[in-house]
Amino acid sequence: MRYNKLMLTLTFEHLEKIKDILPVPRKPAEVQMIDFLNGVLHVAEQGCQWRALPKEFGNWHTIYTRFNRWSKNGTMDRIFTALQERDIIDIRTTIVGIDSTSVKVHPDGTGALKKSGEQATGRSKGGSLRRFIWLPRLPRAH
């Protein structure tokens, strides 16, 4: 597999160092462990959507589904803790949240009445209270 040389990429040697904490697969995997972990790192580093994951990592939906399941059961926490403790990667996550309560609005745009009623600043069209933009960034491996 060819990956972008500028991104953080795990190798088979790295995988060997953490093999004791990796789950035993129930069936033959559609996406190999190395491609899965590098795909997750790519999404985290680039801040892209899962659908924008390059094909060389495998099916984006398969990677997302495994990531989601492993995040919920704590497996991803154990994997990234082991990667940090064994000096394979150095992760510092910076999260930026932007929503209508933290973005400054021009004074003319605050609380103005409209023909359809008062301006709604706390809810989105779907009715949810806020929309966030998460932007995790990973530093380069040492």
Side-chain angles (χ1 to χ4, degrees):
M1 294 280 157
R2 286 184 348 205
Y3 300 121
N4 183 348
K5 293 180 183 178
L6 299 175
M7 67 175 274
L8 178 63
T9 303
L10 297 178
T11 64
F12 287 105
E13 291 80 26
H14 295 139
L15 221 52
E16 189 66 28
K17 291 180 183 180
I18 63 166
K19 70 178 180 181
D20 58 316
I21 57 132
L22 294 174
V24 177
R26 298 176 292 195
K27 60 181 182 177
E30 290 180 40
V31 176
Q32 296 301 314
M33 185 64 66
I34 192 83
D35 294 329
F36 165 72
L37 291 174
N38 281 322
V40 170
L41 288 172
H42 179 82
V43 169
E45 184 180 50
Q46 302 298 320
C48 67
Q49 296 178 354
W50 287 103
R51 289 179 187 265
L53 191 63
K55 298 250 185 253
E56 59 223 30
F57 294 109
N59 183 331
W60 71 268
H61 192 264
T62 303
I63 294 172
Y64 166 75
T65 302
R66 187 186 305 176
F67 173 78
N68 192 28
R69 186 176 65 245
W70 285 10
S71 293
K72 288 177 181 176
N73 69 22
T75 302
M76 289 308 298
D77 287 336
R78 288 191 300 275
I79 289 172
F80 284 106
T81 299
L83 289 170
Q84 293 247 117
E85 289 173 350
R86 297 169 192 184
D87 291 328
I88 298 170
I89 60 175
D90 182 22
I91 298 176
R92 287 183 209 101
T93 305
T94 304
I95 298 174
V96 177
I98 300 175
D99 66 44
S100 61
T101 60
S102 64
V103 177
K104 288 190 177 185
V105 178
H106 188 276
D108 292 343
T110 58
L113 293 177
K114 295 190 173 192
K115 290 181 182 178
S116 61
E118 197 170 323
Q119 182 176 347
T121 57
R123 294 193 177 271
S124 67
K125 287 184 179 179
S128 62
L129 286 175
R130 296 185 183 118
R131 289 184 168 240
F132 291 96
I133 300 171
W134 299 103
L135 186 59
R137 292 287 183 213
L138 301 176
R140 304 283 180 236
H142 39 114

